[in-house]
Amino acid sequence: MTLAVTPQTADRLQYHLQLVQRLIERQRKLEAPLRPDDGEPSSLAPLPQDNLAELRLRLAQLHPADVAHVLEALPLEDRLLAWDLTEPSRDGAVLLEVSDAVRESLIEVMDHDELIAALVALDADDVAELAPELPRQVVYEVMGRLDEEERGQLQEVLSYEEDRVGALMDFELVTIRADVSCEVVLRYLRRFDELPNQTDKIFVTDETGRLKGVLSIRKLLVSDPEAEVSEVMATEVVSFQPDEPAQDAAQAFERYDLVTAPVVDENGVLLGRLTVDAMVDVIREESDSEVLNLAGLKEEEDLFAPVIDSVKNRWSWLAINLCTAFFASRVIGMFEHSIAQLVALAALMPIVAGIGGNSGNQTITMIVRALAMGQMQIGQAGRLWRKEIGVSIINGMVWGGVIGSVAWLLYGSISLGLVMLAAMTLNLMLAATMGVMIPTLMQKLGKDPALGSSVLITACTDSGGFFIFLGLATLFLL
């Protein structure tokens, strides 16, 4: 049987995913019991074991990150079938690549020995990344199998919270002394079978281990072999301490285009290094977290998670949204008499609330991003609020004028058009105010500024929009 999917009809990841899905679908059909009228299977049909062997081969040819992508896109039953066929020696590498939610589903089906085998193939910093989601006994046993140096490294990494630089340190690095020549350094490097990943610079330390500077590989290759390292090394180095926030380090990597950077203690002693791949993960996770928090989701959710797990993840902010929606309905209820007298109000009020919600989400997204990127300080909130008020007034006058003109033409009432103009402008001003205030207040309280922001801003602009529009209509039209 030929699988009619080629790299030309989809990108590489999608191609691999479709290929695995086809193989799994074919396997499911082969495993299904024959119906009475099916007769005997053809001798030319593939055997179940042959199909599994092909699926195992396909997975073995993929990079661990690609295997992770495939697993995340498969329903749980198919995911576990593919996971069972993944080479055990690569289990640890794949676990590092999958999302937290999917990783949990994979770890649940692994027995004690499988977990141990997956972890012992990893470096100490990688084991530390997985440790919070593993049974404690497994972590202890893995630590017992490490040599003294690796055990100390693992304990040091585990001593820091997961959002700190120390938790992301990599201990695979190359160090040299400043009083040797570049020729000596080159001979030293040739003794390695291979250099650690992302090695763009060599760290220069003194006899006590204190960082003195860095020597980039590019600089080393073009320098005079007889020149001492102290003459060609860079002494101005971007470095981090282990208790600094990982998000701050990720922003520095982006700002200075870093590939690696040293981690030092308060005395300047070199402890390890940060690498760009770890920082990319931090940036991606922070971005994912902001998107989830804006929507009111507690945590990252497995796309194919059981229904009850998804309900638990989503219920809290839905409950809050229900309360705010009920409040908005009571605001409308306050003006039932006005709506009964002028039915056009019922048709027009969703426009005011909808535009306000969209404008508020634009403002709140910009403020949350600025806070996350460190571009905004709490003290600047007033200045940004004045700017957003100016934007809202202009947008309110322009688009309120447009919808007011439409209302005038549809209902023949210039007064109704003016009320629409005023209500639109005032609600956009309210949206701007809440769009700045909500994330700023969250930040002051020590909470994630994105947490539920989209839900809260929509609640404010809905209730406020209804109240402003219906209130103005009651005062000036009835």
Side-chain angles (χ1 to χ4, degrees):
M1 181 184 297
T2 302
L3 302 179
V5 182
T6 65
Q8 289 74 30
T9 60
D11 62 29
R12 184 175 58 85
L13 282 177
Q14 196 63 22
Y15 166 68
H16 291 314
L17 173 59
Q18 291 180 10
L19 193 62
V20 170
Q21 287 174 327
R22 294 285 184 88
L23 288 168
I24 290 177
E25 181 182 358
R26 191 167 70 184
Q27 178 64 21
R28 296 300 184 200
K29 290 180 179 178
L30 292 172
E31 291 176 349
L34 289 173
R35 296 189 301 273
D37 56 345
D38 280 341
E40 294 297 326
S42 169
S43 59
L44 299 178
L47 297 174
Q49 291 304 317
D50 293 339
N51 194 63
L52 290 177
E54 183 178 354
L55 181 55
R56 181 182 287 106
L57 178 62
R58 295 291 184 180
L59 291 170
Q61 294 171 344
L62 299 181
H63 187 277
D66 292 342
V67 176
H69 174 80
V70 168
L71 294 175
E72 290 173 353
L74 293 175
L76 183 58
E77 184 180 359
D78 293 346
R79 177 188 302 157
L80 297 183
L81 171 62
W83 180 237
D84 189 52
L85 296 174
T86 303
E87 291 182 4
S89 61
R90 302 206 304 161
D91 283 355
V94 175
L95 287 174
L96 287 169
E97 299 289 346
V98 295
S99 65
D100 293 344
V102 172
R103 183 185 299 154
E104 182 180 347
S105 70
L106 300 179
I107 290 176
E108 283 180 356
V109 299
M110 298 177 71
D111 60 32
H112 181 86
D113 292 338
E114 287 175 328
L115 286 171
I116 296 294
L119 294 178
V120 294
L122 300 178
D123 296 328
D125 54 315
D126 292 332
V127 175
E129 182 177 341
L130 298 176
E133 300 172 55
L134 297 170
R136 185 166 298 181
Q137 184 57 40
V138 170
V139 178
Y140 288 154
E141 186 167 338
V142 171
M143 290 179 66
R145 298 191 181 192
L146 300 176
D147 59 39
E148 185 175 350
E149 181 182 6
E150 291 178 322
R151 189 181 307 117
Q153 292 172 349
L154 178 56
Q155 289 173 334
E156 183 172 5
V157 172
L158 291 176
S159 68
Y160 297 100
E161 296 181 10
E162 61 181 356
D163 62 344
R164 298 289 155 176
V165 164
L168 302 173
M169 283 192 300
D170 180 5
F171 298 100
E172 288 191 351
L173 45 80
V174 180
T175 61
I176 56 174
R177 298 280 291 275
D179 56 356
V180 299
S181 68
C182 292
E183 176 63 29
V184 170
V185 175
L186 288 169
R187 289 204 305 268
Y188 173 62
L189 294 180
R190 293 189 189 103
R191 294 169 56 187
F192 288 85
D193 292 332
E194 61 178 357
L195 293 176
N197 291 333
Q198 286 90 42
T199 297
D200 68 319
K201 60 177 67 78
I202 304 170
F203 301 101
V204 184
T205 60
D206 61 17
E207 61 276 0
T208 64
R210 295 181 61 186
L211 182 69
K212 307 301 292 183
V214 297
L215 175 59
S216 74
I217 297 295
R218 288 184 300 176
K219 183 70 173 178
L220 173 64
L221 293 176
V222 299
S223 296
D224 182 354
E226 300 302 322
E228 284 197 350
V229 169
S230 59
E231 299 173 11
V232 296
M233 71 180 187
T235 55
E236 294 184 4
V237 183
V238 177
S239 61
F240 304 95
Q241 293 195 348
D243 55 354
E244 289 187 54
Q247 182 62 23
D248 291 351
Q251 291 173 9
F253 264 70
E254 183 179 14
R255 186 180 309 116
Y256 301 118
D257 295 326
L258 299 175
V259 176
T260 61
V263 180
V264 298
D265 65 13
E266 62 275 8
N267 297 316
V269 175
L270 182 64
L271 301 176
R273 64 171 185 159
L274 292 179
T275 59
V276 66
D277 57 343
M279 295 299 98
V280 169
D281 289 341
V282 170
I283 294 171
R284 186 199 67 216
E285 289 170 5
E286 184 68 19
S287 176
D288 290 346
S289 177
E290 285 183 11
V291 172
L292 294 171
N293 284 334
L294 280 170
L297 293 173
K298 289 182 179 179
E299 59 190 22
E300 185 178 13
E301 183 179 306
D302 180 0
L303 185 62
F304 299 101
V307 171
I308 190 63
D309 291 345
S310 296
V311 170
K312 290 177 181 178
N313 190 34
R314 305 180 194 184
W315 76 269
S316 57
W317 281 98
L318 288 178
I320 294 173
N321 199 19
L322 178 62
C323 295
T324 59
F326 179 76
F327 179 77
S329 73
R330 297 321 306 148
V331 170
I332 297 173
M334 293 167 56
F335 298 95
E336 286 180 352
H337 181 69
S338 301
I339 296 173
Q341 288 185 288
L342 188 58
V343 179
L345 299 180
L348 294 174
M349 64 182 185
I351 298 175
V352 176
I355 294 296
N358 188 40
S359 176
N361 274 311
Q362 289 176 342
T363 300
I364 212 164
T365 299
M366 186 194 70
I367 298 298
V368 167
R369 182 182 181 277
L371 288 170
M373 297 293 293
Q375 298 172 342
M376 172 188 167
Q377 305 301 320
I378 297 297
Q380 298 174 312
R383 182 175 181 178
L384 287 172
W385 172 73
R386 289 190 293 273
K387 177 247 183 177
E388 289 301 312
I389 284 292
V391 173
S392 65
I393 290 174
I394 294 174
N395 278 331
M397 296 296 290
V398 172
W399 300 111
V402 170
I403 194 63
S405 300
V406 172
W408 177 18
L409 293 174
L410 286 176
Y411 299 102
S413 171
I414 190 171
S415 298
L416 179 59
L418 292 173
V419 165
M420 281 293 295
L421 169 62
M424 183 78 77
T425 303
L426 290 173
N427 198 32
L428 289 184
M429 292 174 65
L430 172 64
T433 301
M434 301 308 296
V436 174
M437 189 177 76
I438 289 173
T440 302
L441 184 59
M442 286 288 209
Q443 184 87 340
K444 275 190 173 183
L445 295 174
K447 304 292 185 182
D448 187 336
L451 185 60
S453 294
S454 181
V455 176
L456 294 175
I457 193 70
T458 301
C460 292
T461 54
D462 281 357
S463 300
F466 293 148
F467 182 80
I468 291 169
F469 177 60
L470 295 176
L472 290 174
T474 301
L475 287 175
F476 297 107
L477 299 181
L478 301 176

